[in-house]
Amino acid sequence: MVRNLVVLGGSSHPKLTETICNQLGIPPANILLSKFAVGETRVEIQESVRGKDVFVIQSGGGKVNDHLMELLITISACRTASAKRITAVLPLFPYSRQSDIPYNKAGAPLAKASGHRSRQGTYTFDSRPQTPHPGQPESTGLANGAQNLHHQLGRLKTEDQRNGVSFEAQPPRRTDTLDSTKSDKSQDSPKPNGLVNGTSKSTSRMPAFQPQPGYKQWVAQAGTLVADLLTCAGADHVITMDLHDPQYQGFFDIPVDNLYGHTLLRKYIQHNIPNYQQAVIVSPDAGGAKRATAVADALGMPFALIHKERRPTQITDRQNATMMLVGEVGNRTAILIDDLADTANTITRAAKLLKKEGATQVYALVTHGILSGDAIDRINKSALDKVVVTNTVDQTEHLRECPKLAQLEVGNVFAEAIRRVHHGESISVLFEV
Ligand SMILES: O=P(O)(O)OC[C@H]1O[C@H](OP(=O)(O)OP(=O)(O)O)[C@H](O)[C@@H]1O
């Protein structure tokens, strides 16, 4: 018997909401989801949630930005309508692949050199201007990189003179150089109101900022923003499944229950793959190795890893990335385990490699079958024999178009998590592999 429990479904996955409600034995609450002519999202909760334990179900995938906005507005509406507790149930967490600053093996974003410097092989990691150190040659008596600034100020002076503006550029001086004298220091003492040596100068004019090649002006940390938006809207709790990066839970200051999808994948292997003990579990990239080894260890199966030579950041890079197999797959069924398939490039390229290395059959077992763009076409034409996904994302269309695709139901797992959270029971049983 569930009392004071309200389940609200967003527009991302009505079928999953229905399954969850059937499992819980309650109807979904009435909610009106629509759009104003301008495209803004409109949410109207058509029953009272005052003092209730509210669970809002909304998944990623599809029109992900619209769904996220709808979720935020729904949570906020429940908060202002005095709900007792609001839990955001996100079977696929949107933006969870953007939890950190995009990193590239060539270096951190600020150090990446993609322009002419790297082509000429002249890129260095030295700071500009350089950090001064004792014994460094100084041709003009200026410390290290200050020469460069002096040069730029000199150019500024020339330009101003050309424009008829009287401006005497003062070379910046340092008081910490080895040969600095007392008289130097007296010249350097700061003057109030931008006065230099008692005369008003246009010292506010600085050379324009010139970014180095490869410099990223701003890298958005969307994962942090989404975590903040959810808590700011009024969420008290989050339930999700197979976060791309489990450390993303640390971005929240509210409880996050990250359910495991690989329990379902393991059961599929046990019940549907003949002689699975002779098969080999394969992780299609290093990032998913922990996830795949958990399944291999639980089933006592061998494990292999595909190493992407270069961590790709763009679709074109991804297609070019070299893949290398570490482990034996010859004359075995290979079972790829991954958290998500978006363009399906990773699993289709991995399947090609595995067949080339002698695998007899290739399965791909993936928690989140986002399968955007031409992913379905790619799978249909690929070396994959079977692709198994859960329905954290609606698979109705995909199943119609892809005969290789099979779906595992997650509705009962989420229903059980909701029931346990509502009753204050432990959900650790749902984390068992
Ligand atoms: O279907 P696709 O478009 O190929 O995307 C799927 C891949 O993307 C993610 O990894 P990612 O490339 O982000 O690397 P990571 O696991 O090292 O973070 C995910 O874990 C899959 O391996």
Side-chain angles (χ1 to χ4, degrees):
M1 178 67 185
V2 280
R3 293 179 59 206
N4 278 335
L5 171 61
V6 170
V7 174
L8 289 165
S11 59
S12 62
H13 202 341
K15 257 186 158 179
L16 185 64
T17 306
E18 201 184 308
T19 311
I20 291 172
C21 286
N22 285 342
Q23 289 281 329
L24 290 168
I26 55 168
N30 290 324
I31 183 169
L32 183 71
L33 301 166
S34 57
K35 288 210 164 184
F36 290 104
V38 68
E40 291 172 1
T41 300
R42 175 173 178 236
V43 175
E44 195 180 315
I45 300 166
Q46 297 179 316
E47 54 191 83
S48 171
V49 294
R50 182 176 293 276
K52 302 273 176 69
D53 192 10
V54 179
F55 292 80
V56 187
I57 300 166
Q58 186 77 296
S59 202
K63 294 176 182 166
V64 60
N65 293 326
D66 277 352
H67 295 153
L68 178 61
M69 186 53 79
E70 194 181 272
L71 173 68
L72 295 170
I73 295 173
T74 307
I75 292 171
S76 174
C78 293
R79 173 60 63 222
T80 48
S82 302
K84 188 173 156 212
R85 180 175 61 176
I86 304 157
T87 302
V89 182
L90 295 144
L92 164 61
F93 199 103
Y95 287 86
S96 59
R97 280 166 93 186
Q98 297 188 41
S99 56
D100 55 2
I101 292 176
Y103 172 84
N104 189 301
K105 278 199 177 133
L110 287 180
K112 186 184 166 199
S114 57
H116 67 282
R117 278 176 191 277
S118 66
R119 280 199 296 277
Q120 291 167 359
T122 55
Y123 187 82
T124 74
F125 286 87
D126 295 340
S127 54
R128 292 164 197 280
Q130 288 182 328
T131 310
H133 59 84
Q136 193 147 354
E138 292 174 38
S139 56
T140 63
L142 292 173
N144 309 319
Q147 275 191 45
N148 189 22
L149 188 56
H150 176 48
H151 173 69
Q152 290 189 45
L153 284 170
R155 281 180 52 195
L156 198 67
K157 173 189 169 188
T158 321
E159 277 171 24
D160 276 350
Q161 279 172 343
R162 222 181 288 134
N163 296 334
V165 180
S166 170
F167 170 68
E168 192 183 337
Q170 296 292 316
R173 291 173 182 271
R174 300 182 60 98
T175 55
D176 58 348
T177 51
L178 289 176
D179 61 349
S180 60
T181 61
K182 212 173 176 181
S183 59
D184 279 333
K185 280 179 187 167
S186 67
Q187 284 177 353
D188 284 334
S189 41
K191 302 290 186 296
N193 305 325
L195 294 177
V196 178
N197 293 337
T199 319
S200 178
K201 305 285 181 188
S202 48
T203 50
S204 60
R205 298 200 51 180
M206 292 295 290
F209 172 65
Q210 294 291 335
Q212 292 180 15
Y215 180 90
K216 282 197 167 57
Q217 300 276 350
W218 177 249
V219 182
Q221 291 172 281
T224 317
L225 175 67
V226 172
D228 288 348
L229 284 172
L230 281 168
T231 43
C232 181
D236 300 298
H237 190 163
V238 170
I239 301 176
T240 186
M241 181 174 269
D242 274 2
L243 277 173
H244 178 64
D245 180 358
Q247 293 180 2
Y248 185 42
Q249 290 169 83
F251 285 50
F252 292 83
D253 51 12
I254 55 172
V256 177
D257 289 317
N258 180 28
L259 306 176
Y260 293 153
H262 53 71
T263 312
L264 291 167
L265 305 184
R266 174 177 59 79
K267 285 184 185 151
Y268 178 89
I269 295 171
Q270 286 175 308
H271 297 117
N272 298 281
I273 301 183
N275 298 324
Y276 71 87
Q277 293 92 342
Q278 269 76 57
V280 54
I281 299 287
V282 185
S283 174
D285 64 13
K290 220 171 165 184
R291 204 176 293 119
T293 46
V295 177
D297 291 348
L299 297 174
M301 292 171 65
F303 172 74
L305 170 80
I306 293 174
H307 172 62
K308 278 188 214 163
E309 177 78 324
R310 182 159 52 89
R311 181 173 171 141
T313 51
Q314 294 173 354
I315 299 293
T316 46
D317 287 347
R318 193 182 295 273
Q319 284 160 348
N320 293 333
T322 312
M323 294 176 120
M324 289 186 303
L325 179 70
V326 184
E328 269 297 314
V329 297
N331 295 319
R332 286 174 184 267
T333 296
I335 305 168
L336 288 160
I337 301 278
D338 210 346
D339 63 325
L340 62 93
D342 186 1
T343 62
N345 260 313
T346 302
I347 53 170
T348 52
R349 295 189 72 234
K352 190 175 168 190
L353 176 67
L354 291 169
K355 285 268 170 90
K356 198 176 130 215
E357 296 288 335
T360 48
Q361 271 198 310
V362 182
Y363 286 72
L365 272 59
V366 177
T367 308
H368 307 295
I370 303 168
L371 307 178
S372 17
D374 52 359
I376 294 290
D377 269 1
R378 194 167 289 122
I379 289 172
N380 283 337
K381 290 177 191 153
S382 75
L384 284 161
D385 295 289
K386 189 96 191 164
V387 178
V388 182
V389 297
T390 75
N391 63 338
T392 53
V393 176
D394 193 359
Q395 298 298 328
T396 317
E397 285 287 308
H398 299 155
L399 286 167
R400 239 194 313 269
E401 293 165 11
C402 184
K404 293 181 183 181
L405 194 66
Q407 173 196 286
L408 303 174
E409 178 64 59
V410 287
N412 43 0
V413 180
F414 279 98
E416 185 58 15
I418 290 172
R419 194 192 67 73
R420 284 172 178 267
V421 167
H422 175 66
H423 290 293
E425 294 173 19
S426 164
I427 61 163
S428 61
V429 66
L430 300 174
F431 294 122
E432 283 168 13
V433 179

